[in-house]
């Protein structure tokens, strides 16, 4: 693995409105050095900025890496998820559901690729998942580490090969792993 990737988080929380008040419990469940992708796309802009500021405060106190998703400037973050503008030195993470999207992420200078969905999820009920073979083909020969996403838990992550880390929503509030 390239040297520049060694200190990137291996465990991530993907936020969304579905978490509700469990957002705070999920943030507290993350180990120091983990990452947070702040999404909350459906939240009205002013409310989203205020919530981002609260999450940023918790992230700083808990030693978490905070990445903002979407084009809107929400406040200071450690990086951006997707094609949004980033400041010098910020991390870029990238969503990838196909090989084409992984290559687009590499071309855009992504530091991490979030490959999904690997397992069925509550956030996308009935959605098609990637087979292990399809996920392996997406990752083959890439110079960028990949994070497994979609129905992930620590237990499921341990069964996968070729991934740098994992991300989830529900796993951080569930008491099953």
């Amino acid at each position: 693995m390239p040297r520049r990737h060694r200190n990137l988080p291996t465990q991530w929380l993907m936020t969304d409105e579905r978490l509700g008040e469990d957002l705070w419990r999920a943030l507290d469940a993350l180990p120091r050095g983990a990452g947070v992708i702040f999404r909350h796309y459906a939240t009205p802009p002013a409310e989203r900025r205020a919530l981002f500021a609260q999450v940023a405060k918790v992230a700083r106190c808990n030693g978490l890496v905070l990445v903002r998703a979407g084009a809107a400037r929400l406040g200071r973050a450690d990086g951006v998820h997707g094609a949004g503008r980033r400041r010098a030195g910020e991390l870029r993470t990238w969503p990838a559901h196909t090989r084409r999207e992984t290559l687009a992420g590499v071309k855009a200078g992504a530091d991490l690729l979030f490959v999904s969905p690997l397992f069925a999820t509550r956030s996308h009920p009935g959605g098609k998942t990637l087979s292990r073979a399809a996920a392996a083909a997406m990752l083959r020969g890439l110079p960028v580490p990949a994070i497994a996403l979609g129905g992930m838990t620590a237990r499921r992550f341990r069964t996968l090969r070729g991934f740098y880390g994992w991300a989830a929503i529900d796993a951080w509030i569930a008491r099953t792993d």
Side-chain angles (χ1 to χ4, degrees):
M1 182 157 305
R3 190 178 199 56
R4 69 187 182 117
H5 298 302
R6 290 194 182 175
N7 294 324
L8 296 174
T10 59
Q11 298 176 29
W12 291 81
L13 166 67
M14 307 296 284
T15 76
D16 70 12
E17 289 80 6
R18 229 177 11 91
L19 281 168
E21 288 301 310
D22 281 336
L23 170 62
W24 311 112
R25 189 170 67 151
L27 289 168
D28 286 340
L30 291 168
R32 190 166 200 75
V36 178
I37 306 285
F38 181 85
R39 298 179 310 165
H40 281 77
Y41 297 121
T43 302
E47 190 179 329
R48 187 172 186 239
R49 279 190 298 279
L51 182 58
F52 180 84
Q54 291 176 298
V55 169
K57 184 176 180 179
V58 171
R60 279 192 304 277
C61 289
N62 292 0
L64 305 173
V65 172
L66 178 61
V67 174
R68 69 186 176 284
R73 288 285 190 182
L74 298 172
R76 189 75 177 139
D78 299 303
V80 63
H81 185 64
R85 287 183 29 203
R86 69 175 168 175
R87 294 180 177 110
E90 283 186 336
L91 174 68
R92 180 180 304 281
T93 63
W94 196 268
H97 306 91
T98 65
R99 176 72 176 180
R100 175 178 273 161
E101 289 176 351
T102 61
L103 296 175
V106 170
K107 185 176 180 180
D111 298 293
L112 283 173
L113 299 169
F114 282 70
V115 175
S116 71
L118 296 186
F119 297 95
T121 69
R122 271 192 337 128
S123 56
H124 297 89
K128 187 176 184 217
T129 60
L130 294 167
S131 68
R132 290 173 191 260
M138 284 175 61
L139 302 178
R140 196 168 293 118
L142 294 179
V144 177
I147 301 294
L149 175 62
M152 291 304 302
T153 64
R155 181 174 292 129
R156 284 180 171 169
F157 175 67
R158 289 189 295 269
T159 71
L160 298 174
R161 299 290 172 257
F163 285 93
Y164 176 75
W166 63 281
I169 300 171
D170 294 331
W172 297 112
I173 56 173
R175 300 291 182 210
T176 58
D177 257 23

